Amino acid sequence: GENVEQHPSTLSVQEGDSAVIKCTYSDSASNYFPWYKQELGKRPQLIIDIRSNVGEKKDQRIAVTLNKTAKHFSLHITETQPEDSAVYFCAANSGGSNYKLTFGKGTLLTVNP
Amino acid sequence: KAGVTQTPRYLIKTRGQQVTLSCSPISGHRSVSWYQQTPGQGLQFLFEYFSETQRNKGNFPGRFSGRQFSNSRSEMNVSTLELGDSALYLCASSLTGRGLYEQYFGPGTRLTVT
């Protein structure tokens, strides 16, 4: 089945710096890659997603890039703010007839003021 | 639109008991997926329902089961609870759940097994 690896597991940056989180996936048929942000005690929130027919997508300070050949995708957060501190999860859908998301183990991002 | 809701929010059960958790999807969403979240294993897929049919199942024992009703509301049941079943159980809804549409999560049910 699908396997999603996420790195790093923890990331600490200074306010205003950029943060990059990377994920790799194993199922070459995967074609949907969402990112979720989960603050302490809250539900995971979808922050951005990308489909396999595009290589990059941006939404204000966040962007996601996808390299289908290498089977990896990344989340980029620019001009980080303390409220960006949270656990970020990447995910990939299982291709074919499977209807499920496989999640990475998460990255704890801490933005220091 | 109201978001995904889950009841109850917290549960404490004893080993050997069974539990039923409920999930109401966003209005118009027909797919409901269930996940178990633990500090060690992260978010793990349990199963997904669409139009009252289970379309996919994760690698969990048969003690974990679910169903979906005609109004798209879903329940999951865990029988013969074990200590290791303590976790946050999250459901997520999407329009069709074909893996190409956004999934929106509920607040979760925190289950503690003692």
Side-chain angles (χ1 to χ4, degrees), chain A residues 31-32 36 38 41-46 49 51 89 93-94 96-105, chain B residues 4 33 35 37 40-43 45 48 55-56 88 90 97-107:
Chain A
N31 54 13
Y32 176 62
Y36 286 84
Q38 188 175 28
K42 302 282 184 65
R43 72 187 75 187
Q45 265 189 303
L46 179 66
D49 57 15
R51 290 170 171 80
F89 293 96
N93 71 313
S94 292
S97 61
N98 291 324
Y99 305 102
K100 72 175 191 178
L101 290 177
T102 299
F103 284 81
K105 289 285 170 69
Chain B
V4 180
S33 299
Y35 296 86
Q37 186 174 30
Q41 297 299 318
L43 278 153
F45 174 81
E48 188 259 354
R55 294 196 293 190
N56 204 6
L88 180 67
L90 293 157
R98 290 187 63 190
L100 295 177
Y101 290 88
E102 297 87 351
Q103 288 193 10
Y104 297 94
F105 281 89

Side-chain angles (χ1 to χ4, degrees), chain B residues 22 46 62 72 97:
Chain B
S22 180
L46 281 155
S72 296

Side-chain angles (χ1 to χ4, degrees), chain B residues 78-90:
Chain B
V78 188
S79 62
T80 320
L81 284 166
E82 299 177 0
L83 295 179
D85 297 333
S86 295
L88 180 67
Y89 290 89
L90 293 157

Side-chain angles (χ1 to χ4, degrees), chain A residues 6 8-14 17-21 37-39 47 61-62 75-89 106-112:
Chain A
Q6 182 172 348
S9 56
T10 61
L11 180 58
S12 181
V13 300
Q14 289 300 121
D17 287 350
S18 294
V20 180
I21 302 170
K37 174 185 180 183
Q38 188 175 28
E39 297 175 72
I47 57 172
R61 295 186 298 107
I62 62 174
L75 177 71
H76 303 252
I77 306 174
T78 58
E79 300 172 19
T80 54
Q81 302 166 3
E83 51 266 39
D84 294 330
S85 296
V87 178
Y88 291 81
F89 293 96
T107 296
L108 173 61
L109 173 64
T110 303
V111 180
N112 302 298

Side-chain angles (χ1 to χ4, degrees), chain B residues 11-17 81-86 111-114:
Chain B
L11 265 178
I12 300 176
K13 291 286 188 179
T14 305
R15 271 180 301 175
Q17 289 185 315
L81 284 166
E82 299 177 0
L83 295 179
D85 297 333
S86 295
L111 172 64
T112 302
V113 182
T114 62

Side-chain angles (χ1 to χ4, degrees), chain B residues 13-88:
Chain B
K13 291 286 188 179
T14 305
R15 271 180 301 175
Q17 289 185 315
Q18 74 165 18
V19 67
T20 299
L21 314 181
S22 180
C23 173
S24 293
I26 293 171
S27 178
H29 284 194
R30 296 171 64 190
S31 166
V32 175
S33 299
W34 288 89
Y35 296 86
Q36 181 194 66
Q37 186 174 30
T38 58
Q41 297 299 318
L43 278 153
Q44 290 189 289
F45 174 81
L46 281 155
F47 27 65
E48 188 259 354
Y49 287 87
F50 178 77
S51 291
E52 302 177 67
T53 299
Q54 185 184 91
R55 294 196 293 190
N56 204 6
K57 191 178 191 307
N59 296 323
F60 279 82
R63 301 185 296 107
F64 292 81
S65 63
R67 60 177 175 168
Q68 186 180 36
F69 301 95
S70 58
N71 63 357
S72 296
R73 189 178 70 85
S74 178
E75 290 181 346
M76 67 164 282
N77 183 277
V78 188
S79 62
T80 320
L81 284 166
E82 299 177 0
L83 295 179
D85 297 333
S86 295
L88 180 67

